[in-house]
Amino acid sequence: MAAVSKVGIVGSGAAGLTAAVLLADAGIDVEILEKETGPSPLGSGITLQGNALRIFRQLGIWDEIAAKGFAFSELGFRAPDPAGTVLSVTDDARTGGADLPATLGMYRPDLADALRRRAVNAGARISYGTKVKGVEQDGSSVTVITDDGDRLSYDLLIGADGLHSAVRTAIGIKTEPEPTGMGIWRAFVERPAEVVRTDLTYGGPCYIAGYCPTGDDTMYAYLVEDAQERSVEDGPKIMAGLAAAYGGPWKEITASLDHSARVNYTRFTAHLVDGPWNRGRVVIIGDAAHSCPPTIAQGAAMAVEDAAVLAELLTNGEELNDALWEAFTERRLARARTVVRGSVQLGQWMLDGEIRNADVPGLIGSVAATVTQPA
Ligand SMILES: Cc1cc2nc3c(=O)[nH]c(=O)nc-3n(C[C@H](O)[C@H](O)[C@H](O)COP(=O)(O)OP(=O)(O)OC[C@H]3O[C@@H](n4cnc5c(N)ncnc54)[C@H](O)[C@@H]3O)c2cc1C
């Protein structure tokens, strides 16, 4: 007998869908409330580290996503010179264990599709076009109020509703994502044959120029600059202008940045709800509880780990009590803090012009050592 029998989940991102799979597999009644009217067919690429892959293997979707994505276990660094001189190529940390690659690059909608099908097959229901605006609870149940005025009741509500979480606000948590001062251009483009791993360039006109292969024919490229007002319509032209300083595959990447290229611009944020992530029968996970600039590419990994640990405690526990919430805080808070602090520090060294003298391998190594331990 699990600690709950009927769970509402707000949000069908990686965190919400992972929790849905594991809870529905355990025979719990799961309903996901999603404000969008359906799955988005568009998106950029994502860099999934081994500790995220370990959770996807637990969900039983590893073979499927491995076949769609592009796995690699090396990380390269290039100089910000016109030749794109390769400075180093090292074996990257296999944070999911020796039997998984260090990294899988993927097209985000393909990952979302695999998770969504797995959740529905497990028995979870997804209610699209359902925007949550309020939450009420008493000692024995929690009621969600939707934009349409519907009232839906559950034993437990999981707020997996991302950065601007309505659930977080509804339960009185005041922590909000703060801008870190950086913005990122991302383009989803054809993969030049030469791109078989992530190479990072620190410096030049951007703080970071990087790319990640996502499939046989696809990859995404990114350029990180000072956050500023940017017109996405001009994105391909702006990206091509910034990329002109970089060598190696950047010449081919730049050539594919015409007006049909899928380009987007996002500002980096950081936050951490520094204490328990629940209030009574409502808990937040994933980007609702913490966010970090993707300088170490751990956001989605942390989100799915939150979901897996919460599901484990709920399915193994007999009661939704203080001990369960203390165990959840104990297993998640310090780990998320390490990732958020490390990711922010790396960006701050760049903003302060100290990256050349900073101990980047030390910082990345210590975050990797933390997340290599199973969540
Ligand atoms: C530029 C950028 C690049 C990144 N790159 C990487 C990377 O390479 N690797 C990595 O691991 N991480 C990366 N991340 C972080 C990663 O994208 C997030 O950490 C992860 O997607 C969080 O998942 P989530 O399920 O918590 O939230 P989300 O994916 O944001 O899902 C939240 C869901 O809730 C829904 N929702 C919101 N409000 C409501 C409401 N009121 N009612 C109902 N539904 C609602 C939304 O529509 C959405 O579907 C990056 C982040 C950024 C900004």
Side-chain angles (χ1 to χ4, degrees):
M1 181 69 183
V4 285
S5 53
K6 187 177 181 194
V7 173
I9 299 176
V10 188
S12 66
L17 288 169
T18 298
V21 169
L22 296 168
L23 295 174
D25 273 354
I28 294 169
D29 183 278
V30 176
E31 180 171 35
I32 302 176
L33 311 174
E34 169 56 56
K35 71 178 164 79
E36 299 300 332
T37 50
S40 170
L42 296 176
S44 188
I46 188 161
T47 303
L48 297 166
Q49 310 284 7
N51 56 319
L53 306 181
R54 179 166 53 201
I55 304 289
F56 294 136
R57 184 174 59 190
Q58 184 188 343
L59 302 185
I61 61 167
W62 166 239
D63 289 344
E64 178 182 350
I65 65 172
K68 289 212 167 120
F70 194 108
F72 53 96
S73 294
E74 288 183 335
L75 177 64
F77 283 92
R78 287 179 183 263
D81 60 27
T85 307
V86 176
L87 301 172
S88 67
V89 177
T90 51
D91 286 337
D92 205 359
R94 291 178 184 252
T95 56
D99 51 350
L100 283 168
T103 309
L104 183 77
M106 268 205 96
Y107 183 45
R108 279 181 183 255
D110 283 347
L111 175 65
D113 182 54
L115 282 168
R116 190 169 43 247
R117 277 187 287 103
R118 176 68 177 84
V120 170
N121 287 339
R125 302 181 304 286
I126 308 181
S127 174
Y128 286 107
T130 306
K131 185 172 180 184
V132 168
K133 68 167 196 191
V135 176
E136 289 171 3
Q137 58 177 320
D138 57 26
S140 58
S141 74
V142 47
T143 301
V144 161
I145 300 115
T146 73
D147 238 13
D148 296 334
D150 291 336
R151 297 175 69 84
L152 309 161
S153 292
Y154 308 97
D155 297 338
L156 168 75
L157 185 73
I158 301 176
D161 50 345
L163 276 186
H164 305 291
S165 169
V167 175
R168 185 179 64 225
T169 306
I171 58 174
I173 294 176
K174 304 275 185 251
T175 313
E176 291 283 334
E178 301 283 346
T180 69
M182 289 174 155
I184 185 170
W185 286 105
R186 284 178 296 171
F188 191 72
V189 292
E190 263 177 53
R191 180 177 72 84
E194 195 186 340
V195 173
V196 291
R197 60 167 188 263
T198 287
D199 285 329
L200 298 171
T201 306
Y202 291 162
C206 296
Y207 293 113
I208 309 172
Y211 45 74
C212 174
T214 51
D216 287 347
D217 306 320
T218 62
M219 59 164 281
Y220 73 108
Y222 44 94
L223 296 166
V224 178
E225 58 172 14
D226 285 316
Q228 54 198 282
E229 280 309 312
R230 285 298 207 181
S231 145
V232 180
E233 289 79 62
D234 297 336
K237 204 165 122 209
I238 297 170
M239 269 196 90
L242 293 168
Y246 300 102
W250 279 100
K251 302 287 170 231
E252 239 180 290
I253 293 167
T254 306
S256 61
L257 284 172
D258 60 23
H259 271 284
S260 60
R262 278 182 270 167
V263 172
N264 61 49
Y265 188 71
T266 315
R267 290 167 187 243
F268 288 173
T269 65
H271 78 290
L272 174 70
V273 175
D274 204 357
W277 297 346
N278 78 297
R279 297 291 182 273
R281 294 178 168 265
V282 184
V283 61
I284 52 172
I285 61 171
D287 274 13
H290 46 76
S291 68
C292 51
T295 46
I296 313 183
Q298 271 289 329
M302 287 297 106
V304 298
E305 282 189 4
D306 291 347
V309 170
L310 179 62
E312 181 196 317
L313 293 169
L314 290 170
T315 52
N316 291 343
E318 307 246 304
E319 242 188 287
L320 203 57
N321 54 19
D322 288 350
L324 185 148
W325 293 122
E326 278 158 24
F328 184 58
T329 304
E330 173 74 27
R331 283 176 63 181
R332 296 311 301 156
L333 183 56
R335 189 168 169 112
R337 187 185 292 121
T338 298
V339 167
V340 172
R341 279 195 184 154
S343 305
V344 169
Q345 177 66 78
L346 195 47
Q348 196 58 47
W349 280 333
M350 294 175 194
L351 286 163
D352 295 342
E354 288 172 6
I355 194 75
R356 303 240 166 271
N357 306 319
D359 182 14
V360 176
L363 183 140
I364 292 179
S366 86
V367 173
T370 297
V371 302
T372 299
Q373 300 303 317

